[in-house]
Amino acid sequence: MAATTHNLSQARAGASLGALAIALGVELVGAVLLGALLLAEQTWIIVALLALLGAGFAALQLRPQIEEHIIAAFRQYRGVATLLGIAIVLAFPFFMQGSSYALHLLIVAQLYSVLALALNFQLGSANIPNFATGASYGIGAYTSALLAINFGISFWLTLPISAVVATLFGFALGFPSMRTKESYLALVTIAFGIVVQQLLNNLSWTGGPNGLVGIPAPTFFGHSFIKPLYVFGYKLPSQANFYYLSAALVGLAILSAGRLHHSRVGLAWNALRADPLAARCQGINVVWYKILAFGVDAFLAAFAGTIYAFYVSYISPDNFTFVVSVTIMTMVIVGGMDNTLGVIIGAFLLTLLPEKLRVFSDYRLLFVSVIVIAFLILRPQGLFPQRARNYGGQP
């Protein structure tokens, strides 16, 4: 009996160590693949990395048990995996070989990740199509830039102000949208996005088509973000300042997504997605929760817009067109709706692919489209599909 108990304990310990190895291994492999893709310059290396990534998702599709083992491992060692993820994010710039371009791509990918997570509250959680996320992105960018240029307001103060302004516009869009549904609702959001872009293009105080120039760089305790960052004697390019700032915003967005998903608000949104009529019969205020989804989307999008404006120091209406909203929606669909990790990976993938395939010149968007279609064929519900809620306490 004692021997049997000992053997069971050894088996459990072995399984536990195996789960830990899986969780840490997946994170490290993902970090290595991302770093290799960022630093790769030869076309064949880029194609090989994409093929390797495609093979990985094909294996997950053909062998669902592999995905289940990975998910179980991350659930068991969530704390350790989170700490390793934070460490990887903090250390990543040190392995970019001082490449300003690689850090620039990471900054843009992180900002798009925030935009995709913002839209995911609507499209993924509540099944509300919104093609105006790019407009909220632009409202946040222009609000913060105008405040900084015309009134000398600090970047750190423009962040909450621009978020509040964009949220008010989000509510303003939400109210009339409640009188429509499905394709008509999508048309309302498309019209709103086009109106905002045209106003930015024609109003004199927004700079018109010339945009706004000379947006001052943020400072933090006397350190300007346009200066290189020195960490333990190691010199990082100035882009590292905005890399860590955008990484902090991604962390905030992930935390918000988790809290909202497991709150009554998230449950209400999922009920709307399943059946709005049934949700109304259960006492859920359908109109309020739909409008709230518009507000949350605009709030997070404004944060991303503010950081983008101060990062590039120049913005114009061309940065916030309808195409931006379509791209963000594609990221959510490709990554996996109502799946935080999937949405982030979708954002990174669709940010890096067009840049890494520039060697194909005018045909690069065609190749990007082909790759996206191929991934959707491999994983029809997105790279990381939406998972059923677990009411046992584990997310």
Side-chain angles (χ1 to χ4, degrees), residues 134-185:
S136 300
Y137 182 44
I139 290 170
Y142 267 86
T143 300
S144 59
L146 288 168
L147 290 173
I149 293 172
N150 297 327
F151 302 100
I153 297 178
S154 165
F155 163 79
W156 306 104
L157 287 178
T158 64
L159 270 172
I161 294 173
S162 62
V164 170
V165 171
T167 303
L168 292 176
F169 274 96
F171 285 138
L173 170 61
F175 278 111
S177 298
M178 292 307 96
R179 300 188 65 86
T180 59
K181 58 182 180 179
E182 298 175 354
S183 57
Y184 296 100
L185 173 58

Side-chain angles (χ1 to χ4, degrees), residues 196-259:
V196 169
Q197 200 263 341
Q198 289 300 311
L199 287 174
L200 296 177
N201 198 52
N202 289 284
L203 293 174
S204 59
W205 53 274
T206 63
N210 296 322
L212 298 174
V213 184
I215 303 171
T219 58
F220 187 69
F221 290 105
H223 172 72
S224 174
F225 278 35
I226 60 174
K227 295 181 179 179
L229 183 63
Y230 291 89
V231 182
F232 302 117
Y234 191 92
K235 180 181 177 181
L236 294 173
S238 60
Q239 285 83 358
N241 296 294
F242 286 97
Y243 165 83
Y244 287 118
L245 180 61
S246 55
L249 180 59
V250 173
L252 175 64
I254 292 173
L255 181 62
S256 301
R259 297 289 292 180

Side-chain angles (χ1 to χ4, degrees), residues 311-373:
Y311 169 55
V312 297
S313 75
Y314 164 74
I315 55 174
S316 73
D318 292 337
N319 300 129
F320 313 105
T321 60
F322 172 67
V323 175
V324 173
S325 297
V326 174
T327 302
I328 297 167
M329 183 167 286
T330 306
M331 292 172 177
V332 176
I333 295 172
V334 170
M337 294 194 292
D338 208 24
N339 187 309
T340 300
L341 175 62
V343 168
I344 293 174
I345 291 179
F348 269 76
L349 184 65
L350 291 183
T351 300
L352 298 182
L353 279 181
E355 294 297 324
K356 288 301 177 178
L357 296 178
R358 281 188 180 275
V359 67
F360 296 107
S361 187
D362 295 336
Y363 297 98
R364 66 189 177 98
L365 293 181
L366 172 62
F367 282 102
V368 170
S369 302
V370 170
I371 292 171
V372 169
I373 292 171

Side-chain angles (χ1 to χ4, degrees), residues 5 17 20 73 99 103 142 150 190 198 203 222 228 257 264 286-287 296 303 349 366 369-370:
T5 304
L17 288 175
L20 178 61
S99 173
L103 287 174
Y142 267 86
N150 297 327
I190 291 172
Q198 289 300 311
L203 293 174
R264 293 177 62 88
V286 173
V287 173
V296 172
F303 273 106
L349 184 65
L366 172 62
S369 302
V370 170

Side-chain angles (χ1 to χ4, degrees), residues 121-145:
F121 290 125
Q122 287 186 288
L123 185 62
S125 297
N127 194 30
I128 302 173
N130 182 4
F131 288 93
T133 302
S136 300
Y137 182 44
I139 290 170
Y142 267 86
T143 300
S144 59

Side-chain angles (χ1 to χ4, degrees), residues 269-286:
W269 282 341
N270 284 173
L272 296 180
R273 181 185 64 201
D275 191 330
L277 180 59
R280 190 186 301 275
C281 293
Q282 291 298 319
I284 295 174
N285 189 332
V286 173

